[in-house]
Amino acid sequence: AQMQAALPMLASSPHADERAEFHGNVAVLFDNVGLFDDAARHRQQAIDATRELADHAHQVGLWANHAASRLRVGDVADAADAVQQAGRLIAAYELRGSTVGFVAVLRLQVARAEGHYDEAFAAAEDARRELQASNPTRLPVVALNEGQVWLDLGQPARARQAWLGCEDTLPPHLEARRQLLLARVARPLGLDTEPHLAAARHAAPAQGWPEVSLLVQIEQAAGDEDDGALAALQARALADGLPGAALAAWLRRRDVEAVHDAAAMLARAGRYAAPLDYRAAVWQQAARLLGAAGDGSRAGRASADGRRWVEATEAHVAAALRDGFRRRNPVNAALLGLA
């Protein structure tokens, strides 16, 4: 209530530094409770104020926070734009420090989501260099995200090694993600996933980070093969403004009703991604569901679109890793007819 009362006064404040500080803080508060669109509006007002001040370092921090917020939503396109905005300021004013390392981690996440794996590895190196010098306690976050790159490339052992190296070093919301990823690589090996799922449930924050709680519930429902729960979680994620989590739930559904959402999920594929999933999985799932429903024409188009994405992405994979990318990533193997 006090914040709402202060809004008109601060919005008309002649002091840009006050407006930048206030709107930036309000954006963080809205992010914490999952009101991401409200956060974005306030963050833009903070960015506008920092431009008045020519406070480039503060502006970089705001763009970084915006990118992190949009990645939580699953909005890769908006996050990529924010990372580019931050990167231009960093280069123009030769900025250094922990925030620059944070931007490099975000670059890694965006590049991995876009399938630009060469850029993802380069960003990981930049992040390690900056954080080692400025905030080494954040280095495990680099390993957490780099592990996802290895998993996409069909290298689950390297991914698991990266994640095991992060034990007891991550904040709760990231520890929950680490445990979900460990469960994901354990399942195909026939290993018990329940210890990882239990640890994810324990780590997921009870307040704030609503997308993390949703992802934990989605993984649990998938392990239980509970399509009804997955459909409900998909609907809840969409209602909460979390299209990335909604996509994560849909990717795991096996019920015939899921085919009705295929067109909507494919339409979002260019902009949104499920935070812990490989990008091309959307085309594989659509092709599977449409084929099972007897719609061979649309299934074929979905498969072809997925193949094109994989083949274009190969240009961003080191030559020594391309065979594994094609054959050991199960989504790619299916789309390329190598399974």
Side-chain angles (χ1 to χ4, degrees), residues 10-240:
L10 284 161
S12 60
S13 171
H15 305 295
D17 57 339
E18 290 182 357
R19 297 198 308 275
E21 189 73 18
F22 179 77
H23 287 295
N25 289 337
V26 172
V28 170
L29 289 173
F30 279 134
D31 272 334
N32 287 345
V33 296
L35 296 174
F36 299 106
D37 289 342
D38 291 324
R41 283 192 289 273
H42 281 282
R43 193 169 288 114
Q44 185 59 57
Q45 292 179 74
I47 288 168
D48 291 343
T50 60
R51 284 176 174 148
E52 290 181 42
L53 296 164
D55 187 343
H56 309 300
H58 191 177
Q59 191 181 152
V60 166
L62 290 166
W63 280 120
N65 286 342
H66 184 66
S69 174
R70 300 317 294 171
L71 284 169
R72 290 173 62 190
V73 169
D75 188 345
V76 175
D78 201 2
D81 179 68
V83 167
Q84 288 175 0
Q85 296 278 7
R88 281 194 282 268
L89 290 166
I90 290 166
Y93 298 100
E94 299 181 350
L95 302 176
R96 291 291 177 266
S98 181
T99 300
V100 175
F102 179 35
V103 171
V105 172
L106 295 164
R107 241 177 68 218
L108 160 57
Q109 291 177 265
V110 167
R112 179 241 152 201
E114 293 180 330
H116 297 167
Y117 297 112
D118 46 1
E119 168 62 16
F121 282 127
E125 286 302 311
D126 290 346
R128 269 192 284 269
R129 183 181 62 253
E130 289 291 342
L131 293 174
Q132 185 64 55
S134 61
N135 190 359
T137 62
R138 298 294 289 169
L139 285 169
V141 180
V142 182
L144 176 70
N145 287 287
E146 197 170 29
Q148 284 193 254
V149 176
W150 285 119
L151 186 62
D152 285 2
L153 293 174
Q155 304 287 334
R158 287 190 183 186
R160 189 169 185 272
Q161 183 179 19
W163 297 327
L164 290 175
C166 301
E167 190 170 9
D168 301 324
T169 61
L170 293 166
H173 67 283
L174 293 180
E175 175 59 16
R177 289 186 177 220
R178 186 182 79 94
Q179 293 292 346
L180 292 179
L181 289 163
L182 285 168
R184 194 163 296 177
V185 296
R187 188 172 290 118
L189 298 174
L191 301 176
D192 185 9
T193 62
E194 181 51 34
H196 294 302
L197 293 175
R201 290 193 298 271
H202 177 74
Q207 295 184 333
W209 302 95
E211 77 285 359
V212 174
S213 176
L214 267 174
L215 291 173
V216 171
Q217 293 175 66
I218 288 165
E219 202 70 26
Q220 185 69 61
D224 295 339
E225 299 182 353
D226 189 342
D227 284 315
L230 287 169
L233 289 164
Q234 177 184 326
R236 178 178 150 198
L238 284 174
D240 290 347

Side-chain angles (χ1 to χ4, degrees), residues 258-288:
V259 72
H260 300 305
D261 297 320
M265 294 300 175
L266 288 170
R268 296 189 186 107
R271 176 167 187 150
Y272 297 103
L276 303 184
D277 288 290
Y278 175 53
R279 194 71 174 269
V282 64
W283 291 291
Q284 183 203 22
Q285 169 73 333
R288 188 193 68 77

